[in-house]
């Protein structure tokens, strides 16, 4: 690198480099975990330190809309990239001294990952000495909000997002209860390689909460589940758009991070080959109970991920998407249902079909021109750099992403 003659680095979407390792004694405190070290973050840090020798304070420029995406420690990471020498000058170059100066560690009661119980959690919960932190951070950051820039943004119908309620099928509820029991049994234990851990169990719960077919492709379609409700809403918006002669060809975005196409574990199945009812599904199991059948289907689920849920699940967008892919292609299933309702197939597209920037640009042009009316994609592939708002009238979040910052990126 030093022989290339590079004297400056500009980093767009700098939040993707937030997993920079640091040393701390607070290894079990939420919001401070440094377990998810990223090689690309370390590589960037080393290069910036090299450039700082010859161009101190002028070696790098970071651009991001979400500098703080998951933990409060990310503020320290951004300052460490761009203010390394300044932090050392003030005696807060090490994370623990920085955290003691600008943060408070508190214990509070919060909802457990299983969604059914509460627990006491120690976390890096709030900033202190905020004026001093803001002054120091302001030396490297030019912060602009949508309000300060007065960016033109459409108003939400009704003034707030519309929450769509769905219901778990009895088989799904039974499986969730078993996952909760497994989580309880893991408390205080360190999972061995190949055994279920908190991340793998939570991932299965997230998959079941979206669609049971992600863990068992032979499970029946839930007419009251998320996919069914999403199909109803997407078709309703499409139908209303057809009736509006003044503004036809309205577009919709559908965000879904599980059941994505293109994964070996998410191959689409023939819809006619699957049991249509719970009774048919049970009969197909040859005497197995529902839970036993699902357990058999989960035998090859990947559970190499580590023990800590929130921090490790968010390490890399591509790795997270692969982990959550599941065993069923929900994208194709949604498309099949919409085609059955009468939407032309060429008006429905997947962001995954665009393999490079040129293909993605053509796809976005098709959405802006009204040729593609419904575009499905994940947070990793469609959350950033998606400029298709010209005809956009609706956005559907079928499931919640890992981090609040992902929602901000989705909404633009």
């Amino acid at each position: 690198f030093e022989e290339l003659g590079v004297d400056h680095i500009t980093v767009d979407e700098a939040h993707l480099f937030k997993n920079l390792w640091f040393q701390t004694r607070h290894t079990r405190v939420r919001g401070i975990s440094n377990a998810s070290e990223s090689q690309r973050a370390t590589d960037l840090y080393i290069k910036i330190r090299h450039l700082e020798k010859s161009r101190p304070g002028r070696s790098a420029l970071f651009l991001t809309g979400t500098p703080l995406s998951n933990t409060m420690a990310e503020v320290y990471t951004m300052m460490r990239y761009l203010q390394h020498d300044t932090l050392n000058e003030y005696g807060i170059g090490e994370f623990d001294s920085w955290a003691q100066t600008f943060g408070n560690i508190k214990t509070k009661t919060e909802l457990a990952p299983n969604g059914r119980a509460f627990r006491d959690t120690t976390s890096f919960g709030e900033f202190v000495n905020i004026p001093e932190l803001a002054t120091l951070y302001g030396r490297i950051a030019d912060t602009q909000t949508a309000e300060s820039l007065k960016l033109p943004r459409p108003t939400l119908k009704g003034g707030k997002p519309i929450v769509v309620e769905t219901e778990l099928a009895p088989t799904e509820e039974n499986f969730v209860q078993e996952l909760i029991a497994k989580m309880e049994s893991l408390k205080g234990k360190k999972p061995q390689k190949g055994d279920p851990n908190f991340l793998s169990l939570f991932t299965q719960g997230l998959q079941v909460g979206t669609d049971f077919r992600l863990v068992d492709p032979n499970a029946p379609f839930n007419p009251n589940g998320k996919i069914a409700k999403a199909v109803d809403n997407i078709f309703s918006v499409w139908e209303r758009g057809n009736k509006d002669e003044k503004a036809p060809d309205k577009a919709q975005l559908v965000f879904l991070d599980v059941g994505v196409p293109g994964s070996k574990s998410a191959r689409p199945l023939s819809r006619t080959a699957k049991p249509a009812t719970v009774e048919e599904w049970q009969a197909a199991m040859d005497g197995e109970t529902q839970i036993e059948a699902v357990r058999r289907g989960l035998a090859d689920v990947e559970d190499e991920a580590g023990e800590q849920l929130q921090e490790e699940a968010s390490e890399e967008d591509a790795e997270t998407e692969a982990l959550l892919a599941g065993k069923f292609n929900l994208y194709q299933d949604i498309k099949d249902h919409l085609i059955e309702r009468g939407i032309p197939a060429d008006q429905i597209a997947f962001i995954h079909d665009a393999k490079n920037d040129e293909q993605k640009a053509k796809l976005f042009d098709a959405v802006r021109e009204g040729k593609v009316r419904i575009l499905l994609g994940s947070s990793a592939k469609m959350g950033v750099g998606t400029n298709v708002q010209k005809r956009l009238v609706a956005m559907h979040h079928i499931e919640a992403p890992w981090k609040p910052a992902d929602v901000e990126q989705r909404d633009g």
Side-chain angles (χ1 to χ4, degrees):
F1 174 77
E2 57 271 20
E3 296 177 357
L4 293 176
V6 176
D7 58 12
H8 180 84
I9 298 176
T10 298
V11 183
D12 195 14
E13 306 299 346
H15 58 276
L16 298 177
F17 296 83
K18 65 184 178 58
N19 290 328
L20 180 63
W21 184 87
F22 54 83
Q23 188 173 10
T24 178
R25 68 177 184 273
H26 301 295
T27 57
R28 306 296 296 178
V29 177
R30 286 175 61 90
I32 300 184
S33 174
N34 63 341
S36 53
E37 179 183 3
S38 163
Q39 288 186 356
R40 65 180 175 186
T42 302
D43 178 70
L44 176 63
Y45 176 75
I46 293 173
K47 289 175 178 175
I48 292 177
R49 297 310 311 148
H50 171 73
L51 295 180
E52 281 287 302
K53 295 177 182 178
S54 57
R55 294 173 57 86
R58 298 183 297 163
S59 61
L61 171 65
F62 281 15
L63 305 171
T64 177
T66 51
L68 182 61
S69 63
N70 197 39
T71 70
M72 300 176 79
E74 291 166 17
V75 176
Y76 168 76
T77 296
M78 291 296 173
M79 297 176 73
R80 187 179 172 204
Y81 273 125
L82 304 175
Q83 287 183 296
H84 181 275
D85 294 338
T86 302
L87 293 180
N88 287 334
E89 180 184 342
Y90 287 148
I92 51 176
E94 298 297 328
F95 175 78
D96 287 348
S97 58
W98 181 91
Q100 185 177 9
T101 304
F102 296 121
N104 267 345
I105 296 177
K106 290 187 173 183
T107 299
K108 60 181 180 180
T109 301
E110 64 177 26
L111 193 65
N114 61 33
R116 306 298 176 90
F118 291 88
R119 67 179 184 181
D120 290 335
T121 302
T122 301
S123 63
F124 184 54
E126 66 178 9
F127 287 115
V128 297
N129 298 322
I130 295 178
E132 291 78 6
L133 176 60
T135 300
L136 184 60
Y137 184 68
R139 295 185 185 181
I140 59 167
D142 179 16
T143 304
Q144 300 291 334
T145 65
E147 290 74 19
S148 63
L149 294 175
K150 298 181 180 180
L151 297 176
R153 306 180 77 180
T155 57
L156 289 176
K157 184 178 181 180
K160 59 182 180 180
I162 299 173
V163 178
V164 180
E165 295 185 3
T166 62
E167 297 179 9
L168 290 174
T171 52
E172 297 169 345
E173 179 64 33
N174 291 340
F175 183 67
V176 170
Q177 293 299 329
E178 180 171 287
L179 290 179
I180 294 174
K182 287 182 178 180
M183 283 187 173
E184 291 295 326
S185 69
L186 288 177
K187 285 185 176 180
K189 301 178 182 178
K190 185 175 182 179
Q192 301 299 316
K193 184 176 181 179
D195 293 338
N197 54 47
F198 282 108
L199 178 57
S200 65
L201 294 176
F202 187 83
T203 298
Q204 294 168 26
L206 178 61
Q207 291 171 338
V208 172
T210 304
D211 195 291
F212 203 5
R213 294 170 296 176
L214 290 170
V215 290
D216 184 355
N218 293 314
F221 178 71
N222 181 0
N224 297 313
K226 288 185 177 180
I227 301 304
K229 297 292 186 181
V231 169
D232 289 342
N233 291 333
I234 295 168
F235 177 76
S236 177
V237 173
W238 178 85
E239 191 174 38
R240 290 198 304 271
N242 286 345
K243 296 177 181 179
D244 187 353
E245 297 180 357
K246 295 182 179 180
D249 302 330
K250 293 182 173 65
Q252 304 178 62
L253 293 182
V254 181
F255 280 99
L256 179 61
D257 290 347
V258 296
V260 299
S263 169
K264 293 180 180 179
S265 60
R267 295 169 182 158
L269 303 180
S270 170
R271 293 179 59 193
T272 58
K274 294 180 294 180
T277 65
V278 173
E279 290 75 16
E280 292 179 12
W281 180 51
Q282 289 175 318
M285 296 298 102
D286 295 328
E288 292 179 311
T289 65
Q290 298 166 4
I291 299 302
E292 288 170 345
V294 173
R295 186 184 297 114
R296 175 178 52 79
L298 288 172
D300 59 349
V301 169
E302 295 286 345
D303 33 354
E304 294 292 334
E307 182 178 342
Q308 296 301 313
L309 171 64
Q310 178 80 5
E311 291 81 359
E312 295 188 14
S314 61
E315 180 174 354
E316 302 289 351
D317 286 334
E319 293 176 2
T320 301
E321 183 169 307
L323 176 66
L324 297 177
K327 300 182 178 182
F328 189 81
N329 189 339
L330 288 180
Y331 280 56
Q332 188 62 47
D333 187 66
I334 292 173
K335 182 175 181 177
D336 290 344
H337 278 98
L338 293 174
I339 292 174
E340 286 182 359
R341 296 284 189 93
I343 299 180
D346 60 358
Q347 293 187 15
I348 307 170
F350 306 153
I351 192 67
H352 299 72
D353 294 336
K355 305 302 182 183
N356 52 52
D357 291 342
E358 182 180 354
Q359 294 178 3
K360 185 179 289 188
K362 291 181 179 179
L363 178 58
F364 290 165
D365 286 340
V367 177
R368 288 191 291 266
E369 293 170 3
K371 297 177 181 178
V372 171
R373 302 274 301 279
I374 300 166
L375 180 60
L376 290 84
S378 62
S379 300
K381 292 185 177 294
M382 198 167 70
V384 176
T386 304
N387 181 15
V388 295
Q389 62 268 27
K390 181 178 179 180
R391 298 176 183 269
L392 194 64
V393 294
M395 185 183 301
H396 309 269
H397 300 274
I398 296 183
E399 37 63 72
W402 287 109
K403 307 184 294 291
D406 289 338
V407 179
E408 293 185 25
Q409 293 285 1
R410 287 178 174 189
D411 291 344

